[in-house]
Amino acid sequence: MTVGTVKLKIDNVEVAVPEGTTILEAAKSNGIDIPTLCNLEGLSGYGGCRLCMVEIHGSPKLFAACVTPVGMGMEVITQSDKLREYRKMAIQFILSERTHICAVCVANNACELQKLANDLGVDHVMFEREWTRLPVDSTHDFLVLDRNRCILCTRCLRVCDEIEGVHTLDLKMRGKDAQVIIDLDEDWANSSSCTSCRKCAKVCPVGAIYVESVALEETKDKGIAEFVLSRRNRK
Amino acid sequence: MKEIVINPITRIEGHAKVVIHLNDDASVRDARFQVTDFRGFEKFCEGRPYYEMPSITSRSCGICPVSHLLASVKACDQIVAVNVPTTAVLLRRLMHMGQIIQSHALNFFHLSAPDFLLGMDADPATRNIFGLIAKEPEIARQGIRLRKFGQEIIENVAGKKIHSSEWVVPGGAKWPLTKQRADYLLSNLPEALTITLKTIAMFKEWLSSCTEEVETYGDFPSLYMGLVTADGGLELYDGNLRIVDNDGKTAVDHVNPDKYYDDIGEAVEPYSYMKFPYYKPLGYPDGMYRVGPLARLNVCSHCDTPLADQELKEFKKLGKNGIVQSTFHYHYARLIEALFCVEKTKELLSDPEILSERVCRRVYVNNYEGVGIAEAPRGTLIHHYKVDPQGMIQKVNMIIATEHNNLAYNKAVTQVAQKYVKAESLQEGMLNRVEAVIRSFDPCLSCATHAVGQMPLEVQLIDSHGKLLDRKIRSPL
Amino acid sequence: MTSTSKVRVATVWLSGCSGCHMSFLDQDEALIDLAQQIQLVYSPIMDVKVFPENVDVTLIEGAVANEDQEELLKFARERTKILISLGDCAVTGNVPGLRNGITNSADAVLKRAFVETADMNPQIPTDVPTLLPKALPLHEVVKVDFYIPGCPPPADLINWVISRLMRGLPVNMEGRSKFG
């Protein structure tokens, strides 16, 4: 069975990609940059952060590029004033939840959320902030989970399940109150499934999961999932 | 009873007001220095990991963030119980020298010099750094350059001029100093030294003409506290606490800073967000002591740099038994300290060990309590933390340089008010002198309480039944 | 000093650490050039006690944490054309906002500092401005025209914004400023 080719326009550029490709992948492979936060190469799509929203000609609603497959003849817009405002608002929603204080965060200057806010010109948050004071789990030998900084992108859950294969991490509760839990909501030190592989800390875009007393730029590795997959699939 | 209110006190690092209570015959009964804002660090840090404390507490103060970073990281060093690499200690000391140079330059040139050089009775609209730039451009430029030198030391060591909290980590420092940066700082050093020496000479000349200020600016006996080296020399980063009395007798010596609470208690008054520390053996409020440049020069026996030591000898002649008691001499003491720091900067940068690459240890929690202490520009700064086995903060106590002086402020303000304030005629110069005495202490209220809150200067006359007799708001220009 | 042609600038300091004011002073020699173009009419680094009329640009540092500050902020807003939130405390609440997640935060922070850690006369001060329940960013209290984030914002960024405003040019922060 051969995979067909789909032709579409992205920002008025004709592109051709294999069937089943997402708009995000199609844009990326043609050098068009769409901002993302929850997406990571090598992990399944999630569509949680709403930063990669794009316009599709003929539809009034916006689509998350990371989970929308391409269609024949689609005309996709990735940059417009409407989208810029929308993305700025998405960043502000994320910043208004929990307690994001860049100045005193371990991730300061190495944080994807902070960088996106800067790139998009988000200079304040129009919504009232939540100011959570959730306890920090520092029981593990070297991994720390600070839920006050978690943006619920679930990269850690996906890398733990899909790449490491142990599914130690999951979520409890719903909506903005959802929280990352370890096994059946234990302290990290008591986890029977965690292999201490650090992949969660490597992929966390912010300062929510990190390796204690190691500089974040030394820990972070956005390519880890793709790298492991490439080794795993060696014939 | 009548009262006069000065609000806000300006050109100090923070905001406060002074309330002067008058007797029925309009003479001054007493004066209170009130601090009007508060942020609550000691509470909201609870539950945070200990290694975040340097960056959080740095935000107590934008003028002496380095002192907070260092007091905090030293408390954390005790929690992780490691020996900090020599090079990291040298670099932290170097950074601290930069801090004190910039802060002293700021106080002298940006905040106090307008009084000396433009005159106490000059128009308030121009009696500030911009007025100084207009009238004495060369002196203003030198002040700006000296402060810049201090700020650039911090920036070159730790990556940022203000709140360089990423570099300061428990167990050492984040990255080493490059030779290029060290050479850059060394190349600017001669100019800094020249400016400092010139300023001291200028100030001494000016000092001879202000005997009146010296005698009325908080000229009273008290205890003095500061850190000293093992052989009693001036020390700003480490060492032991020494408290001396006004006759130059040592009350306590070689106190391990970890045991500060054996000697220092804290009291509260309903009219201020700043606590009142006191020396426990003498009780409250008799246990009044002073900290900061004047106190440090009073408690130490020498400076281990040649030029500052020479100045110190001359300075000590101003008092009996080597104890200089007029608050006005804080200005002079600050300049001597700035000189000491410039000389120390050269010494540190010339140490071959300072360029070593080994600046940090891997750390984890080994103790559940730590005390960090440093001499901030304004005096002894204490950070005291307790953590749980995971390193989460359980309790925080901070005693800030400016707080130690709280009892002395009230005394000094009362003294000036008694001499200068006459309720029948409130003149700019008089009220300004009340403010100037506070300015000579160089209080950092941002640190002490995170004090701000400005309202118009309002003078209230209140009779003994609490009835408002008269109310005057000073026009702005 | 003539004041007719100069831009009238005020700086205000609410619940912050003064770091933003220090960063303003970190413009160093550029202050000398700035002095030719602006007239500082109200600031903690000068002696004017009352926020004046007809201010062109006001830079405000710090969160709004007590009643006095709220009053002053509203007063400054009435008298100024362009009001700027300077630094993270003014922009987001930042570190002073860390108390906001505590139940009855004002009481809790005061109790810790003035009752639990006091050896003598433990009491919560009363003859002082009352703390607000939360330390707020400025724009939750008044209309704000521009925001300069950063802890503190770098001196050259402050300089850039002021000089753009003085020349009547647009101020776009994309890629220029960052929180923290």
Side-chain angles (χ1 to χ4, degrees):
Chain A
M1 197 181 133
T2 53
V3 177
T5 300
V6 176
K7 285 187 177 168
L8 68 156
K9 274 187 179 172
I10 304 181
D11 294 340
N12 283 325
V13 179
E14 285 273 3
V15 304
V17 291
E19 208 177 328
T21 309
T22 62
I23 294 176
L24 183 67
E25 288 163 343
K28 228 180 221 170
S29 61
N30 286 279
I32 294 164
D33 193 31
I34 301 175
T36 61
L37 203 49
C38 70
N39 189 267
L40 199 67
E41 311 245 324
L43 299 180
S44 59
Y46 179 62
C49 72
R50 317 314 278 172
L51 271 168
C52 68
M53 302 307 264
V54 292
E55 295 180 62
I56 297 176
H57 188 72
S59 169
K61 61 178 200 148
L62 302 176
F63 295 83
C66 68
V67 289
T68 307
V70 292
M72 193 62 88
M74 247 183 203
E75 290 181 29
V76 179
I77 303 291
T78 73
Q79 297 293 343
S80 67
D81 285 349
K82 179 180 171 181
L83 288 170
R84 201 166 300 121
E85 282 315 301
Y86 191 92
R87 286 169 186 156
K88 280 170 90 162
M89 199 183 296
I91 291 278
Q92 290 177 70
F93 276 129
I94 295 170
L95 284 171
S96 69
E97 291 171 6
R98 312 288 162 102
T99 304
H100 295 285
I101 300 295
C102 302
V104 299
C105 178
V106 291
N108 191 12
N109 298 329
C111 170
E112 292 176 45
L113 176 62
Q114 181 186 31
K115 186 174 182 314
L116 273 166
N118 177 14
D119 292 348
L120 292 166
V122 174
D123 57 10
H124 73 294
V125 177
M126 66 169 98
F127 313 107
E128 200 177 323
R129 295 185 159 226
E130 200 183 2
W131 299 108
T132 57
R133 287 180 67 87
L134 300 163
V136 178
D137 185 338
S138 180
T139 58
H140 187 279
D141 273 353
F142 53 82
L143 290 164
V144 185
L145 168 60
D146 186 345
R147 297 178 177 93
N148 298 292
R149 299 185 185 133
C150 174
I151 61 169
L152 301 171
C153 70
T154 72
R155 278 189 195 175
C156 57
L157 272 61
R158 285 175 283 147
V159 83
C160 186
D161 176 36
E162 297 163 18
I163 307 296
E164 184 60 14
V166 294
H167 201 120
T168 299
L169 301 173
D170 210 321
L171 289 181
K172 68 171 179 183
M173 307 206 283
R174 307 181 60 162
K176 74 164 181 57
D177 297 323
Q179 288 181 30
V180 171
I181 53 167
I182 289 118
D183 288 344
L184 293 169
D185 204 4
E186 333 271 348
D187 281 350
W188 209 328
N190 302 334
S191 169
S192 52
S193 65
C194 174
T195 59
S196 300
C197 74
R198 304 177 188 221
K199 289 189 189 70
C200 50
K202 287 176 192 274
V203 301
C204 178
V206 293
I209 299 184
Y210 56 95
V211 178
E212 194 177 318
S213 79
V214 175
L216 229 77
E217 51 270 26
E218 291 168 32
T219 305
K220 297 296 174 196
D221 180 0
K222 283 174 78 172
I224 186 68
E226 222 181 0
F227 172 76
V228 173
L229 285 179
S230 72
R231 310 294 281 184
R232 190 173 289 160
N233 297 334
R234 275 178 307 180
K235 291 288 175 283
Chain B
M1 191 191 85
K2 297 169 182 170
E3 65 174 20
I4 297 171
V5 180
I6 303 180
N7 185 11
I9 310 289
T10 41
R11 274 189 298 135
I12 56 174
E13 294 90 340
H15 281 277
K17 64 177 179 179
V18 166
V19 178
I20 302 165
H21 295 268
L22 304 176
N23 294 319
D24 288 341
D25 63 357
S27 60
V28 172
R29 192 165 57 96
D30 70 352
R32 286 170 175 178
F33 177 74
Q34 304 190 335
V35 168
T36 55
D37 189 36
F38 178 73
R39 283 181 294 182
F41 280 77
E42 288 165 324
K43 184 71 191 175
F44 64 58
C45 292
E46 289 173 9
R48 298 308 307 164
Y50 74 95
Y51 44 82
E52 287 181 6
M53 291 304 282
S55 68
I56 296 175
T57 57
S58 171
R59 270 73 185 181
S60 308
C61 178
I63 299 143
C64 65
V66 173
S67 305
H68 282 279
L69 285 169
L70 295 179
S72 180
V73 85
K74 283 173 69 184
C76 294
D77 288 342
Q78 288 194 356
I79 287 168
V80 300
V82 297
N83 281 328
V84 176
T86 315
T87 302
V89 173
L90 291 174
L91 289 171
R92 287 179 183 182
R93 281 180 178 272
L94 175 62
M95 181 189 191
H96 203 209
M97 293 301 110
Q99 162 79 88
I100 293 174
I101 292 166
Q102 78 83 16
S103 175
H104 284 359
L106 172 87
N107 177 272
F108 186 80
F109 290 99
H110 298 63
L111 302 172
S112 299
D115 287 340
F116 308 146
L117 299 167
L118 308 175
M120 289 283 184
D121 303 307
D123 177 358
T126 59
R127 202 177 52 220
N128 58 62
I129 182 71
F130 283 95
L132 196 68
I133 288 171
K135 203 171 165 217
E136 298 279 2
E138 196 36 45
I139 291 175
R141 182 181 294 273
Q142 287 183 353
I144 286 169
R145 296 278 306 165
L146 184 62
R147 178 166 176 270
K148 183 179 176 179
F149 175 71
Q151 289 287 71
E152 285 195 332
I153 293 174
I154 299 166
E155 186 180 30
N156 279 279
V157 170
K160 201 174 162 192
K161 284 179 175 174
I162 301 166
H163 300 319
S164 35
S165 44
E166 274 178 83
W167 181 83
V168 178
V169 289
K174 201 75 164 260
W175 59 80
L177 179 69
T178 61
K179 185 161 187 332
Q180 191 191 0
R181 290 178 179 278
D183 289 342
Y184 171 78
L185 293 173
L186 278 167
S187 72
N188 283 317
L189 209 131
E191 184 198 13
L193 188 62
T194 308
I195 293 173
T196 313
L197 290 168
K198 223 159 118 179
T199 309
I200 291 177
M202 176 181 83
F203 182 79
K204 279 198 287 204
E205 201 174 308
W206 187 79
L207 193 63
S208 56
S209 70
C210 46
T211 358
E212 192 191 6
E213 279 85 356
V214 172
E215 283 168 9
T216 51
Y217 273 40
D219 188 6
F220 53 82
S222 73
L223 298 168
Y224 304 91
M225 180 173 85
L227 291 174
V228 287
T229 59
D231 62 349
L234 179 63
E235 169 63 53
L236 301 162
Y237 172 78
D238 226 339
N240 287 322
L241 280 175
R242 177 185 278 179
I243 298 176
V244 301
D245 70 12
N246 219 64
D247 304 324
K249 290 195 189 68
T250 304
V252 281
D253 203 2
H254 300 298
V255 177
N256 178 344
D258 303 1
K259 298 275 179 277
Y260 72 94
Y261 40 79
D262 291 347
D263 293 302
I264 297 164
E266 293 180 272
V268 179
E269 292 290 352
Y271 57 80
S272 181
Y273 276 133
M274 184 153 79
K275 284 190 278 194
F276 292 78
Y278 60 97
Y279 177 59
K280 277 182 178 171
L282 293 184
Y284 178 80
D286 294 340
M288 174 179 68
Y289 61 94
R290 284 183 273 180
V291 298
L294 179 80
R296 285 192 291 251
L297 296 194
N298 279 339
V299 301
C300 77
S301 56
H302 64 281
C303 297
D304 61 6
T305 62
L307 296 173
D309 196 49
Q310 221 174 303
E311 285 296 335
L312 178 71
K313 285 195 176 73
E314 204 176 320
F315 177 83
K316 283 187 178 281
K317 285 180 197 153
L318 291 171
K320 289 193 194 87
N321 309 316
I323 299 295
V324 180
Q325 67 172 36
S326 170
T327 299
F328 192 77
H329 287 314
Y330 267 88
H331 289 299
Y332 188 6
R334 250 190 298 277
L335 293 173
I336 296 172
E337 282 194 340
L339 176 62
F340 172 77
C341 292
V342 173
E343 289 184 282
K344 270 281 170 201
T345 300
K346 188 172 180 180
E347 193 181 296
L348 285 161
L349 284 167
S350 313
D351 189 323
E353 198 64 32
I354 204 153
L355 296 176
S356 156
E357 306 241 318
R358 282 172 302 126
V359 293
C360 201
R361 304 247 188 273
R362 279 300 306 273
V363 296
Y364 38 89
V365 176
N366 286 311
N367 284 328
Y368 301 157
E369 190 167 357
V371 176
I373 197 159
E375 282 292 339
R378 288 153 196 77
T380 316
L381 170 64
I382 302 168
H383 282 225
H384 184 179
Y385 310 149
K386 287 181 180 165
V387 298
D388 70 8
Q390 268 70 51
M392 297 300 135
I393 293 283
Q394 303 296 295
K395 287 277 178 270
V396 175
N397 192 28
M398 289 157 66
I399 303 183
I400 311 296
T402 295
E403 284 183 306
H404 294 292
N405 284 330
N406 205 354
L407 282 168
Y409 288 133
N410 285 278
K411 176 112 185 154
V413 167
T414 302
Q415 206 177 38
V416 174
Q418 281 169 340
K419 184 157 174 79
Y420 284 107
V421 173
K422 303 279 185 291
E424 295 87 347
S425 62
L426 291 163
Q427 286 153 16
E428 177 67 39
M430 289 180 180
L431 293 177
N432 194 44
R433 280 179 173 83
V434 172
E435 295 192 75
V437 68
I438 293 170
R439 222 172 280 140
S440 58
F441 273 106
D442 186 19
C444 177
L445 305 176
S446 171
C447 273
T449 62
H450 328 311
V452 228
Q454 302 177 62
M455 293 204 24
L457 171 70
E458 203 180 303
V459 179
Q460 293 184 339
L461 292 182
I462 295 172
D463 72 9
S464 45
H465 308 293
K467 188 174 153 223
L468 190 70
L469 300 174
D470 188 17
R471 187 162 170 269
K472 230 191 265 181
I473 293 185
R474 188 197 294 167
S475 71
L477 295 172
Chain C
M1 266 174 72
T2 56
S3 58
T4 42
S5 58
K6 290 186 181 181
V7 178
R8 290 165 60 84
V9 175
T11 73
V12 178
W13 171 9
L14 304 175
S15 207
C17 74
S18 81
C20 299
H21 273 80
M22 292 303 112
S23 201
F24 178 87
L25 293 177
D26 278 342
Q27 292 175 84
D28 298 329
E29 287 96 334
L31 287 173
I32 297 169
D33 306 331
L34 204 62
Q36 306 307 313
Q37 303 162 59
I38 68 165
Q39 189 197 359
L40 199 64
V41 293
Y42 181 87
S43 169
I45 61 167
M46 62 188 295
D47 283 341
V48 172
K49 307 286 184 190
V50 180
F51 195 92
E53 301 272 1
N54 302 323
V55 179
D56 295 312
V57 179
T58 301
L59 296 148
I60 303 189
E61 168 190 349
V64 191
N66 73 34
E67 288 171 351
D68 281 15
Q69 289 163 0
E70 189 178 17
E71 193 178 336
L72 174 66
L73 174 62
K74 288 175 175 167
F75 193 68
R77 175 70 273 188
E78 281 167 23
R79 295 172 162 225
T80 189
K81 291 193 191 72
I82 297 174
L83 188 140
I84 301 175
S85 283
L86 177 67
D88 281 348
C89 295
V91 172
T92 73
N94 203 33
V95 172
L98 285 174
R99 73 168 162 97
N100 295 350
I102 303 170
T103 321
N104 296 329
S105 77
D107 282 349
V109 294
L110 291 169
K111 193 162 156 265
R112 172 70 194 147
F114 297 102
V115 180
E116 293 168 15
T117 58
D119 305 81
M120 185 75 73
N121 310 343
Q123 62 188 305
I124 291 181
T126 46
D127 188 13
V128 281
T130 309
L131 293 187
L132 299 175
K134 287 186 173 180
L136 303 170
L138 307 189
H139 62 270
E140 289 189 24
V141 181
V142 294
K143 179 180 171 288
V144 170
D145 302 302
F146 293 99
Y147 303 84
I148 311 180
C151 186
D156 50 10
L157 180 69
I158 298 173
N159 186 275
W160 180 81
V161 172
I162 294 175
S163 47
R164 297 280 293 183
L165 289 172
M166 282 195 308
R167 300 205 301 270
L169 297 167
V171 177
N172 176 1
M173 284 295 191
E174 268 177 45
R176 261 182 202 283
S177 67
K178 66 171 194 66
F179 298 111

